[in-house]
């Protein structure tokens, strides 16, 4: 079996960008700095004002050169901070900034600038996913432009449902250009402990003190607004990561904290999953989808530890009738609540509130399919800007709802059947590409590639499931995360394609002649 290490995967590292002449950029910069210092020294004696002006110009040029050289690192670093903030603080973090340039939009501009200055977009030209994504973005644009004159910035806010797809292109281009796919995967290991330690605290804070959490100035958003379904998506990705043993593979021969204390992280995982699993249907399904993908495609995955913990905890809960009531609305965490949550997915749970929301959603979703597939909005949809809850007659009392609790049907309602078809084809192609890459890597003995493909597929599935039951992809806390994972998968697939093409183009060594020396 072929050994596969980080170095053979294209070890992530930022290139030195040495020019063709062989002179290091640092040498040139040092010579220029020395010349500027000499000029400043001479001018400071005879012409102080000119010296001050030259010093200012030199400082600005040095700042521009520094920013240009380090822009990819700064862009991906800022994006990592944003993703962590969205995962831990939810909607509250999304409102940092000044309308319409919030922290997510600022990160997008920074990533696009870094990709435009340091990459060539043709690095993505060989991937059919790039063209499918372009078609989806173009349809979304045509459904948005006519509404901007009517609804203004509201149209742009709704348009993030497709506009955040630019994150996928920028992230993929940067990761491919700098060979940073495995480095980003290893960096994700740092996020996991932070999330598993802080997410339960944030979730408990929302459940226990939701009304007392301070509001951000000028908004109706609390400082922390973490939703159970959003937390469950990341729990699904982390479960896939641990089950596949990726912390050990990505540790570069030295076990990471995550790999050394796997039992501890699984225990924290279960503690974090308490509210999403016991009370949120979408969260339970998202985790189940990711875990099922790993178990089906890799039956020998590392599922023994979490299974043992789950069985132990459920046995204790049933034996001692453990019940906990959390939050201002007294959410119940118990084995009975888990069973009711599972029952409510397929049918009536016996709880009026759950069954009522389920029926309300189904009626709205049916209405959307009627006026698109069989109605006047087949080709164009209703556009980005109009309040769908008002237009469709499903608005709540405070008129805060804008979209149905299903991102896929929101695309159908706003972009019409062509936009919906482009979305479905794009996502199915992405999933099938990851599946094919996984099977091919397994066949070739490329363990790291195979497990990264499966991890990305499981994570993607969790996003898809949660988006089917909540307003998730329509906001930055879900949309930016989703498209960044999509961009990582796009880069992962392209790097593997290039590695396969290079291997196929390398001629095999000729057979040794009889009697030749070894």
């Amino acid at each position: 079996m072929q050994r596969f290490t980080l170095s053979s995967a294209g070890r992530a590292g930022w290139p030195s960008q040495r020019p063709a002449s062989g002179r290091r950029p640092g040498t040139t910069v040092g010579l220029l700095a020395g010349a500027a210092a000499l000029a400043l020294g001479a001018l400071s004696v005879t012409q102080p004002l000119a010296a001050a002006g030259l010093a200012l110009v030199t400082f600005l040029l040095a700042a521009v050169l520094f920013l240009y050289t380090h822009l990819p690192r700064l862009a991906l670093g800022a994006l990592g901070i944003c993703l962590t903030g969205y995962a831990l603080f939810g909607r509250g973090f999304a409102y940092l900034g000044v309308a319409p340039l919030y922290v997510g939009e600022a990160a997008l501009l920074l990533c696009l600038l870094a990709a435009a200055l340091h990459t060539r977009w043709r690095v993505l030209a060989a991937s059919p996913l790039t063209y499918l994504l372009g078609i989806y973005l173009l349809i979304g644009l045509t459904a948005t432009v006519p509404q901007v004159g009517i609804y203004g910035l509201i149209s742009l806010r709704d348009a993030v449902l497709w506009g955040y797809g630019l994150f996928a292109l920028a992230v993929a281009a940067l990761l491919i250009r700098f060979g940073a796919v495995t480095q980003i995967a290893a960096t994700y290991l740092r996020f996991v402990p932070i999330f598993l330690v802080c997410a339960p605290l944030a979730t408990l804070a929302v459940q226990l003190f939701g009304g007392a959490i301070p509001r951000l100035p000028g908004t109706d958003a609390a400082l922390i607004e973490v939703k159970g379904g959003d937390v469950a998506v990341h729990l699904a990705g982390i479960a896939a990561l641990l089950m596949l043993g990726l912390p050990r593979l990505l540790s570069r021969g030295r076990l990471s904290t995550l790999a050394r204390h796997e039992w501890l992280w699984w225990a924290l995982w279960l503690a974090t999953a308490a509210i999403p699993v016991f009370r949120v249907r979408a969260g339970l399904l998202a985790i189940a989808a990711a875990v099922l993908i790993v178990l089906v495609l890799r039956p020998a995955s590392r599922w023994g530890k979490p299974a043992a913990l789950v069985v132990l905890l459920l046995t204790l809960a049933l034996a001692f009738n453990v019940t906990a009531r959390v939050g201002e609305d007294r959410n119940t965490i118990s084995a009975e609540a888990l069973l009711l949550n599972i029952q409510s997915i397929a049918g009536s749970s016996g709880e009026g509130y759950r069954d009522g929301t389920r029926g309300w959603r189904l009626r709205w979703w049916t209405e959307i399919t009627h006026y698109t597939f069989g109605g006047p909005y087949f080709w164009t949809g209703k556009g980005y800007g109009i309040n769908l809850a008002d237009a469709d007659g499903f608005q709540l009392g405070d008129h805060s709802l804008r979209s149905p609790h299903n991102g896929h049907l929101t695309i159908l309602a706003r972009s019409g059947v062509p936009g919906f078809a482009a979305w479905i084809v794009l996502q199915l192609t992405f999933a099938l590409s990851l599946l094919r890459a996984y099977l091919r890597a397994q066949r070739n003995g490329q363990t790291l590639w195979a497990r990264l493909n499966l991890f990305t597929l499981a994570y993607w599935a969790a996003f898809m499931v949660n988006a089917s039951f909540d307003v998730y992809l329509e906001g930055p806390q879900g949309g930016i995360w989703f498209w960044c994972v999509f961009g990582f998968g796009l880069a992962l697939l392209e790097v593997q394609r290039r590695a396969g093409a290079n291997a196929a183009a390398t001629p095999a060594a000729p057979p040794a002649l009889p009697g030749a020396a070894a």
Side-chain angles (χ1 to χ4, degrees), residues 76-88 93 103-104 106-108 480-481:
L76 291 178
L79 181 58
I81 294 173
C82 283
L83 294 177
T84 303
Y86 289 134
L88 297 180
F93 185 85
V103 61
L108 176 59
I480 294 179
W481 257 103

Side-chain angles (χ1 to χ4, degrees), residues 244-246 249 298 438 447-456:
L244 291 169
L246 276 170
L249 287 177
R298 184 172 170 76
Y438 164 73
T447 304
L448 179 58
W449 281 147
R451 296 190 188 182
L452 283 176
N453 287 318
L454 194 53
F455 161 70
T456 308

Side-chain angles (χ1 to χ4, degrees), residues 31 52 177 290:
L31 292 174
R177 168 64 179 83

